[in-house]
Amino acid sequence: MNKATVHVWPICIMLIVALGGCATVEKCGLEGCASDRKISAEVQALLNAHPELGAPGTIAVETLNGVVYFGW
């Protein structure tokens, strides 16, 4: 890697962490939108239908204000 690339990665990581909070703008309140649970369930069911992605429930799904987040 060149020096410019080495300096860009920490900046990108800091921006991702800092801007991650922007996705939680409360348009539906603290409980999220009414459809969030349904969206999460549908996405989780689709992921669970593909065993090549791992055992069911390996990938966690959470929806907040209509935005789907994945985690392990």
Side-chain angles (χ1 to χ4, degrees):
M1 277 191 244
N2 63 32
K3 288 183 181 182
T5 305
V6 172
H7 294 292
V8 169
W9 282 109
I11 293 170
C12 289
I13 292 170
M14 287 188 303
L15 284 173
I16 290 170
V17 170
L19 295 176
C22 295
T24 60
V25 174
E26 294 183 32
K27 66 178 183 183
C28 296
L30 293 175
E31 298 297 317
C33 297
S35 60
D36 285 349
R37 284 186 293 276
K38 181 180 177 189
I39 293 170
S40 290
E42 290 175 357
V43 171
Q44 190 71 61
L46 289 170
L47 290 172
N48 291 344
H50 294 278
E52 64 273 11
L53 296 175
T58 301
I59 301 173
V61 177
E62 185 174 332
T63 307
L64 180 62
N65 297 327
V67 178
V68 178
Y69 298 92
F70 297 96
W72 284 265

